[in-house]
């Protein structure tokens, strides 16, 4: 293995080991299922692909330019963590007080791709999948 390739592999494993426990993909499955309960299977597949793309871009952007953006606006990491925590709290509160998908009589949401793209970013990508913790880790790693 060339030195450049071994450096790439070691950096990739370091970033994966730092981010995967915070993102916790298996722990996000119930959120995804509950927030997409009224969507069809092709819509769920579309949302899952969009979420993956948005997560990759958001984390990559956080790694490379996150520190510069925060220092430019004078925002500290604890402020990002607190505001992201509040967004997650509001989303969880809404999920607790919403009627279950099975109890909704015959409600079928038909959504176009633009609405699905919006839902894929907020709340499914940010703050649920890539939240303030993973962004702060990405900024630190970057």
């Amino acid at each position: 293995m060339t030195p450049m390739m071994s450096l790439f592999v070691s950096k990739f494993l370091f970033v994966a080991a730092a981010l995967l426990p915070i993102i916790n993909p298996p722990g996000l499955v119930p959120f995804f299922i509950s927030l997409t309960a009224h969507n069809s299977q092709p819509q769920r597949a579309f949302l899952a692909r969009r979420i993956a793309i948005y997560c990759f871009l958001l984390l990559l952007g956080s790694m490379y330019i996150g520190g510069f953006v925060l220092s430019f606006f004078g925002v500290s990491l604890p402020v990002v963590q607190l505001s992201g925590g509040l967004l997650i709290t509001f989303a969880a509160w809404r999920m607790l007080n919403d009627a279950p998908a099975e109890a909704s009589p015959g409600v079928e949401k038909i959504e176009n791709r633009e609405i699905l793209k919006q839902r894929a970013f907020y709340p499914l990508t940010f703050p649920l999948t890539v939240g303030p913790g993973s962004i702060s880790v990405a900024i630190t790693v970057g």
Side-chain angles (χ1 to χ4, degrees), residues 38 98-109:
H38 295 293
D98 198 13
E102 296 81 28
S104 307
V107 175
E108 183 64 30
K109 284 189 177 179

Side-chain angles (χ1 to χ4, degrees), residues 16-25:
L19 287 174
L20 278 179
I22 294 171
I23 294 174
N24 188 16

